[in-house]
Amino acid sequence: MTRILIIEDEEDLLMTLEYNLKNEGYQVYPFQTGEEGLEWAIQQGPPDLALLDIMLPGMSGIEVCHRLRLHERTRATPILFLSAKSEDTDRVVGFELGADDYVVKPFHVRELMLRIRAILRRSHTPARPEDESLAVFGLLTMDRTRHQVWIAEQEIFLTSMEFKLLDLLLTNKGRVQSRDTLLTKVWNLNNTAVQTRTVDVHVKRLREKLGAIGDAIETVRNLGYRLREHPHKG
Ligand code: CA
């Protein structure tokens, strides 16, 4: 089944597109914000095609496009922009963003459907497997090879210990890591009362750097720390 992601903040247009695409037999994933649509694409995607409105209340469609291109999983996802002004299109098509097509609003749904079919015909390549070196957790992305971490658009800078700590928590998400384990695996140290406090200090700093994602690192009383299975509670 062909999966199409739509990010469009105008509710009427979003519903119209959803209705028409479903009629054509596509599986549709509609979102009104870039943040939600991006998270879906990275976690549950990749979609076979992304329809992105440019002007969105938070993260713009252009930012969403950038982010999709950064991830190994969504790097090759065809993108069609829904643009309010024709002036935007120069920036969007053919340049560094490499969008596959665009339509300028207001557009005929029929025309959009034809363009979508054409893009899908051109791009019938199987989705790439997830790159082992990339870890994704909500809006957080870790590139183990390049030693870089991003939250949404923003690269965050971690010390090598904080990086190792986050890597270990991500690899073992949902499972408690005792302070002793962390000391052994991250710091290559054996437990002493003083050293376990080192772990606490580093976890605290890592949580602060991760911002909203930070609270997914849970303290398990008398045991240690655990990264929640899912970035959001419940
Ligand atoms: Ca809009």
Side-chain angles (χ1 to χ4, degrees):
M1 193 111 168
T2 303
R3 309 202 299 172
I4 300 185
L5 165 71
I6 317 174
I7 306 177
E8 168 57 68
D9 60 330
E10 287 164 55
E11 202 174 350
D12 288 351
L13 180 54
L14 184 63
M15 284 169 68
T16 303
L17 293 174
E18 184 182 0
Y19 173 81
N20 281 280
L21 288 166
K22 278 184 176 165
N23 259 357
E24 297 269 319
Y26 300 119
Q27 205 164 338
V28 184
Y29 297 87
F31 296 93
Q32 283 187 283
T33 68
E35 288 84 350
E36 290 169 292
L38 179 64
E39 191 176 347
W40 177 85
I42 290 164
Q43 298 233 344
Q44 273 132 71
D48 296 288
L49 171 69
L51 299 185
L52 305 179
D53 182 21
I54 292 178
M55 295 289 286
L56 292 165
M59 186 186 288
S60 75
I62 289 176
E63 283 168 19
V64 174
C65 177
H66 265 304
R67 293 283 300 165
L68 290 173
R69 293 290 184 246
L70 274 178
H71 285 273
E72 190 65 36
R73 292 187 76 182
T74 52
R75 188 161 291 159
T77 300
I79 291 172
L80 189 154
F81 275 103
L82 311 172
S83 156
K85 297 178 303 214
S86 53
E87 298 95 276
D88 285 337
T89 54
D90 285 350
R91 298 160 58 208
V92 160
V93 179
F95 290 76
E96 78 277 12
L97 288 174
D100 293 80
D101 205 353
Y102 67 93
V103 292
V104 178
K105 294 177 187 176
F107 51 81
H108 292 291
V109 172
R110 195 73 230 139
E111 185 197 341
L112 180 65
M113 294 301 148
L114 291 174
R115 300 250 190 130
I116 288 173
R117 241 182 273 160
I119 293 175
L120 289 171
R121 251 200 320 270
R122 284 204 301 267
S123 73
H124 257 297
T125 46
R128 298 176 190 203
E130 186 167 9
D131 189 329
E132 288 272 305
S133 70
L134 277 188
V136 176
F137 185 73
L139 289 180
L140 181 146
T141 307
M142 170 183 272
D143 186 329
R144 294 185 172 103
T145 314
R146 291 158 67 191
H147 240 258
Q148 285 177 296
V149 175
W150 298 270
I151 292 183
E153 285 294 272
Q154 208 73 43
E155 181 171 2
I156 58 167
F157 299 94
L158 301 180
T159 64
S160 63
M161 286 303 172
E162 288 162 351
F163 190 92
K164 282 172 79 176
L165 181 58
L166 179 61
D167 191 6
L168 189 74
L169 289 169
L170 272 170
T171 308
N172 297 283
K173 71 181 171 195
R175 278 173 287 173
V176 182
Q177 302 301 305
S178 72
R179 291 181 177 81
D180 288 355
T181 304
L182 293 174
L183 273 175
T184 311
K185 291 193 177 161
V186 179
W187 281 269
N188 299 319
L189 291 173
N190 293 317
N191 171 39
T192 74
V194 175
Q195 286 164 347
T196 51
R197 241 177 281 138
T198 307
V199 177
D200 298 338
V201 169
H202 276 82
V203 169
K204 183 168 178 283
R205 234 184 286 153
L206 181 59
R207 272 186 186 137
E208 285 165 6
K209 287 189 181 180
L210 296 180
I213 299 272
D215 80 329
I217 302 175
E218 300 176 325
T219 306
V220 182
R221 233 177 109 89
N222 299 326
L223 285 174
Y225 296 96
R226 169 181 60 205
L227 185 69
R228 263 204 310 272
E229 192 80 40
H230 302 288
H232 305 295
K233 271 189 186 147

